[in-house]
Amino acid sequence: MKSEKLTAKQLLAVTIAGLAYTATCGVCYFINYYYAVYQGATGYTDGQIGTILSSIGVIAVISYILGGPLADKVRSKVLLMFCCLSTAACSLAMLTFPRYEIMLVIQLALGVCALLPHWAPLCKFITTIGKTPDQTNKIWGIYTAVVGASGGLIGLICTAILNSNDARTGMRITVLIYVALEIFCACMFPVVDKSKHGDPVSAGGGSFKLSDIVRLLRMPKVWLVFIALTCLYQTGFAFTYILPLLSNVFFVPLATVTLISTIRGNLIKIVTGPAAGTLAAKLHTSHKANLILYALSFIGMAILVVIPWGPGSIFLAMVSVAILAIAYSASNTYWTPLVVDAGIPNEWLGTATGFSCVIMTLPDTFVYKLAGNAIEAHGSDAYRTIFTIMLGVYIVGAIANFILIKVRKKELAVQNAQQ
């Protein structure tokens, strides 16, 4: 059975959703992208900037937890409009370049405005665009491509602007570009979603209660989804050490490593997003498609572990990096479809998505510290240990993913028998 083609309205809606993500998160994580520029424009110390970044990290975790139930109580369109407009206001406040204490408050407010009313509502909004599960999987692929293309394009434009101006002028122009995009998206959400009563995806019509969180977390398949997401997500952690390894051990030129980082971060999504969405649509489930990505990731990482490290193995190392980059980028497309395809009740979708993000990013709070200590103690030998551990992580995630497929297959069989 062929899925219906996407309409122009559906394509416009997913494009606006992707642009909104790029605009709001681009400002929220401005320091991560342009640390030196931010420091030059504000004059803050590394310690002060570190405090700001840590505070944003805490806000992110809290936002993922609270944003889920919020998305199940308030219409997605309303939350996304508020997110864009409030983020724009905080962004403009940044450009006054106040003293550190005031900027810290502004950055915290920016984190709340950009993250709390954003990710879970965005996931629900995108899910409402598709008329069928297959369409939804395609739409998520297109969304990933839009984020990659817009993030990459704006990144290139802003880099050129920052290189041509002093720090303060460059930061002002760059942030204003994001603000303009935020306001544009806020104006477009009512155009692409004209619904006035309730969130179409919420069968409960906003009936979600906080007590339902316990019921949700008692569902075994929910934890299978969490594990399947988390283990593959750790490829991002591995890339933190793969890229320096290319430069330090395989002697890949630094300029080449920087180009690889740029392509891996955003531009590759232009291809892998639609491809991943199409694959899930053809398989009629993102669960099977995600399992294929586990196989690719295991192969890519295994190559890196077993090959001799040195200039003579550059080709195989680059093959490994390419496989891992493709698999990891494609997996981003399934962060929400894995939850949706598990048959989580629609009125719980926002909360399930929020908690999946919390679990998925939780290892980030300690794995980098452990890896850093290991590298300090054992040098480059620690890299191979890290990558070997990743093979074990992939096996755990693949097993959870496989069990999830079996569980969901039985559930659907029971549902079909009852109809």
Side-chain angles (χ1 to χ4, degrees), residues 4 99 162 239 256 332 351:
E4 299 178 31
R99 68 177 189 270
L162 293 171
F239 262 115
T256 303
N332 295 175
T351 301

Side-chain angles (χ1 to χ4, degrees), residues 241 368-383 386:
Y241 303 100
Y368 292 99
K369 176 64 174 177
L370 293 176
N373 290 341
I375 293 170
E376 285 185 1
H378 304 288
S380 60
D381 289 340
Y383 286 117
I386 292 170

Side-chain angles (χ1 to χ4, degrees), residues 237-239 241-243 245 301-302 304-305 309 382-392 394:
F237 152 74
F239 262 115
Y241 303 100
I242 289 174
L243 295 179
L245 183 75
M301 193 65 71
L304 194 58
V305 169
W309 285 5
Y383 286 117
R384 200 181 295 272
T385 301
I386 292 170
F387 302 147
T388 301
I389 292 174
M390 280 301 305
L391 292 176
Y394 289 149

Side-chain angles (χ1 to χ4, degrees), residues 68 158 308 316:
C158 292
L316 289 175

Side-chain angles (χ1 to χ4, degrees), residues 5 26 58 71 75 77 131 198 208 218 290 294 296 298 330 354:
K5 291 185 177 181
V58 173
R75 282 188 296 150
K77 175 179 67 176
K131 297 178 181 179
F208 180 86
R218 283 179 176 174
N290 202 58
Y294 264 113
L296 286 175
F298 188 90

Side-chain angles (χ1 to χ4, degrees), residues 26 33 46 58 98 112 131 136 147 155 192 197 221 229 237 254 278 323 372:
Y33 305 145
D46 291 310
V58 173
V112 172
K131 297 178 181 179
T136 299
V147 171
V192 297
H197 304 288
K221 66 181 178 182
L229 283 169
F237 152 74
L254 185 58
T278 300
I323 293 173

Side-chain angles (χ1 to χ4, degrees), residues 15-291:
T15 298
I16 297 302
L19 292 176
Y21 179 86
T22 295
T24 53
C25 288
V27 173
C28 183
Y29 292 105
F30 182 90
I31 306 174
N32 299 67
Y33 305 145
Y34 309 110
Y35 188 102
V37 172
Y38 184 87
Q39 187 171 42
T42 60
Y44 302 151
T45 66
D46 291 310
Q48 289 173 328
I49 295 177
T51 299
I52 290 175
L53 289 172
S54 297
S55 300
I56 292 175
V58 173
I59 289 294
V61 173
I62 295 174
S63 296
Y64 288 142
I65 295 174
L66 300 181
L70 181 66
D72 290 324
K73 297 294 290 185
V74 182
R75 282 188 296 150
S76 301
K77 175 179 67 176
V78 174
L79 290 174
L80 291 172
M81 290 172 61
F82 171 79
C83 171
C84 289
L85 293 175
S86 60
T87 300
C90 292
S91 302
L92 293 174
M94 282 175 57
L95 298 183
T96 62
F97 300 109
R99 68 177 189 270
Y100 166 71
E101 292 78 10
I102 296 177
M103 181 65 95
L104 177 59
V105 174
I106 293 173
Q107 294 279 182
L108 290 175
L110 180 61
V112 172
C113 293
L115 300 177
L116 188 130
H118 191 169
W119 180 244
L122 181 73
C123 294
K124 292 196 72 171
F125 178 82
I126 293 175
T127 302
T128 66
I129 298 174
K131 297 178 181 179
T132 65
D134 289 350
Q135 271 199 348
T136 299
N137 279 318
K138 284 186 177 180
I139 286 169
W140 271 104
I142 295 171
Y143 163 80
T144 304
V146 171
V147 171
S150 59
L153 179 60
I154 291 179
L156 292 173
I157 293 173
C158 292
T159 297
I161 291 172
L162 293 171
N163 289 337
S164 303
N165 295 276
D166 62 84
R168 284 206 169 192
T169 301
M171 181 173 169
R172 281 197 176 101
I173 298 174
T174 299
V175 171
L176 287 174
I177 290 175
Y178 284 112
V179 169
L181 190 56
E182 289 158 2
I183 295 174
F184 170 74
C185 291
C187 295
M188 288 300 296
F189 276 118
V191 175
V192 297
D193 181 5
K194 297 181 182 296
S195 62
K196 297 180 179 179
H197 304 288
D199 195 328
V201 78
S202 181
S207 63
F208 180 86
K209 301 182 293 296
L210 292 180
S211 59
D212 289 336
I213 293 177
V214 177
R215 295 175 58 195
L216 177 69
L217 297 181
R218 283 179 176 174
M219 300 172 66
K221 66 181 178 182
V222 169
W223 288 97
L224 290 173
V225 170
F226 290 170
I227 296 172
L229 283 169
T230 302
C231 292
L232 201 52
Y233 175 76
Q234 294 311 304
T235 304
F237 152 74
F239 262 115
T240 302
Y241 303 100
I242 289 174
L243 295 179
L245 183 75
L246 292 179
S247 178
N248 299 331
V249 177
F250 290 93
F251 300 111
V252 177
L254 185 58
T256 303
V257 173
T258 302
L259 178 62
I260 291 172
S261 179
T262 301
I263 294 173
R264 184 198 72 81
N266 279 308
L267 298 180
I268 194 174
K269 293 178 182 178
I270 300 173
V271 177
T272 59
T278 300
L279 176 63
K282 287 186 177 296
L283 296 175
H284 304 298
T285 173
S286 60
H287 298 164
K288 292 181 180 179
N290 202 58
L291 190 59

